[in-house]
Amino acid sequence: MPVRFKKLIPHCIVLLLLLAHAHTHTDLTSLAKNDAYPVFTSVDPQSERFLLMCELLDLKDADFADEKGCGLNFSISPYGQNANWGRNIRGEQRFGGVEIQLGDIVGRWGTIPLLFGAVPEGKTLPPVLQEARDNLFPGVTGIINDVQAVDPLQLFGYFTIPLEYRKRGVRFSLSAYMGCGFGINVEAGVASIRQTVGDREKTICLTEPCVTADPQVFAEWDFFARDLTDLAHPAFVDMSGLTTTQVQQYLTSKIRCIADEIGLDICDFCATSAEEVRVNLFWRWLYELNKGREEHWPHVAVMPFLIVSGSISPGKRTDRTTGGPFFCNQEPGFTKQFAVPFGNNDHSAVGFSTGL
């Protein structure tokens, strides 16, 4: 029996070290939904834990192993992310009989609800939307809140937005162990993100003035966004009191001008910027619980650890843009609809982890 226990010693040590899982970085999350748990290194476990494991397997003194662990550990990790479609916030791959495009994850674009609610004080309804209100809800004064005109399947008066998401970057991790269980870890990265609408061979940033109520011009935009109005159930169309022709003439065929008037930039997004910079201060120490006991007992060790971490995001904020004419509007205040944040999008964060 003592011989069998001795053969199990290496396996017990490996199991205990995996359970300890003493990171030298915290698991801070990011505001970027496309990359909520950024990975800064492919080295896992960290090299200092490999050293401790080797020392324990050789049954050497833990203090000697800790002393040899002093030094630097640097890693470079290139990475890439691709996405063309997704699931919506309810986990569905199809909604209303239509596949969930990447631009539909939080809901499709609805045009009829743009006419609802109160206009902010001191503002007026943009001309295109005012024309739509006058023709779709003639004679209605005050606030419009007609729930019968909102299709629960998001088809009547809605768009589906096909997107292609590509992210390429490289991240760096530098760890320095200073002895007595203390160390520091610095993580950073840089990335290039591209999110394009529809056909990547075409551009939606046209330079000519937007043309409204022209079906031929709108047909050229089918690659940008698909109008789902024709798929609406006839029963819903009858209940809403609106016709397909009306909705397409005054709303969906004028999506370009509506976006321009409400300050929405629907150009393709492409940018390169720094990501987060994280600094992690850590402490961990190895304790042998039964050092010097009879050899036929398995070797038992525990490793408590504590990591305190902070991060900043020095990269570009991606919720605003400047650019060329029309949708790539040069005026400040245009929201870039398809922008993707870098890191925490200019936010800072703090956190800590501890365990055994």
Side-chain angles (χ1 to χ4, degrees):
M1 185 66 69
V3 175
R4 292 180 181 177
F5 269 115
K6 191 171 183 179
K7 290 182 179 180
L8 290 175
I9 290 177
H11 303 285
C12 294
I13 295 171
V14 172
L15 177 61
L16 288 171
L17 285 173
L18 290 177
L19 290 174
H21 200 52
H23 292 290
T24 57
H25 64 278
T26 55
D27 293 323
L28 291 177
T29 58
S30 170
L31 285 177
K33 296 179 181 180
N34 57 299
D35 199 359
Y37 294 91
V39 178
F40 288 88
T41 176
S42 59
V43 180
D44 188 22
Q46 300 288 343
S47 59
E48 64 265 19
R49 285 192 287 139
F50 279 121
L51 176 63
L52 290 175
M53 183 183 297
C54 293
E55 296 295 322
L56 283 175
L57 288 176
D58 292 337
L59 300 181
K60 292 184 177 180
D61 185 78
D63 294 333
F64 175 70
D66 189 76
E67 182 181 351
K68 288 187 66 177
C70 298
L72 297 176
N73 177 19
F74 180 68
S75 66
I76 303 176
S77 303
Y79 69 95
Q81 297 176 341
N82 294 345
N84 293 330
W85 59 275
R87 297 175 183 267
N88 63 16
I89 56 178
R90 293 185 292 192
E92 300 167 327
Q93 288 184 287
R94 297 180 66 84
F95 182 72
V98 181
E99 187 178 44
I100 301 296
Q101 297 292 330
L102 202 58
D104 303 341
I105 291 178
V106 295
R108 300 191 180 113
W109 286 12
T111 56
I112 298 176
L114 291 174
L115 308 176
F116 291 4
V119 178
E121 185 177 353
K123 302 293 183 179
T124 59
L125 206 62
V128 174
L129 294 181
Q130 184 64 56
E131 180 187 18
R133 176 189 170 107
D134 294 340
N135 286 274
L136 297 181
F137 299 95
V140 178
T141 60
I143 297 175
I144 297 177
N145 189 22
D146 186 0
V147 295
Q148 300 297 324
V150 180
D151 186 357
L153 296 181
Q154 296 184 1
L155 297 175
F156 189 63
Y158 282 84
F159 283 95
T160 180
I161 311 296
L163 295 178
E164 290 187 359
Y165 164 81
R166 301 291 183 267
K167 183 176 183 180
R168 301 291 183 268
V170 60
R171 289 176 178 148
F172 312 92
S173 178
L174 174 64
S175 297
Y177 180 65
M178 299 174 290
C180 298
F182 291 95
I184 185 172
N185 172 248
V186 180
E187 300 167 323
V190 61
S192 177
I193 303 177
R194 179 179 178 86
Q195 187 153 252
T196 57
V197 187
D199 192 337
R200 297 185 64 186
E201 302 301 321
K202 301 179 181 179
T203 176
I204 68 169
C205 299
L206 302 183
T207 57
E208 71 271 13
C210 59
V211 180
T212 62
D214 187 339
Q216 182 60 38
V217 172
F218 177 69
E220 298 174 0
W221 281 67
D222 285 346
F223 67 89
F224 157 64
R226 182 186 176 196
D227 182 5
L228 300 175
T229 302
D230 291 329
L231 300 179
H233 196 280
F236 172 79
V237 177
D238 294 339
M239 180 179 64
S240 68
L242 304 175
T243 68
T244 298
T245 302
Q246 285 179 313
V247 171
Q248 291 178 332
Q249 179 181 356
Y250 294 106
L251 285 174
T252 58
S253 66
K254 301 182 180 181
I255 185 63
R256 294 173 55 194
C257 290
I258 292 174
D260 190 38
E261 290 181 350
I262 65 177
L264 194 65
D265 185 337
I266 54 177
C267 280
D268 291 346
F269 173 76
C270 184
T272 300
S273 178
E275 296 187 290
E276 284 185 87
V277 176
R278 298 184 175 189
V279 178
N280 312 295
L281 301 176
F282 66 89
W283 172 87
R284 86 282 187 277
W285 195 261
L286 185 69
Y287 293 95
E288 295 179 272
L289 299 185
N290 58 350
K291 183 178 179 180
R293 298 289 181 90
E294 296 181 10
E295 291 187 0
H296 61 269
W297 292 103
H299 200 93
V300 179
V302 296
M303 185 187 294
F305 67 93
L306 171 66
I307 310 107
V308 179
S309 179
S311 77
I312 60 173
S313 293
K316 303 174 183 177
R317 288 186 61 92
T318 56
D319 55 347
R320 300 292 180 183
T321 185
T322 57
F326 193 54
F327 283 117
C328 296
N329 202 293
Q330 294 179 342
E331 298 180 7
F334 267 62
T335 299
K336 194 163 184 63
Q337 177 66 26
F338 304 118
V340 181
F342 291 89
N344 256 348
N345 200 23
D346 200 34
H347 291 77
S348 299
V350 294
F352 74 94
S353 297
T354 185
L356 183 66

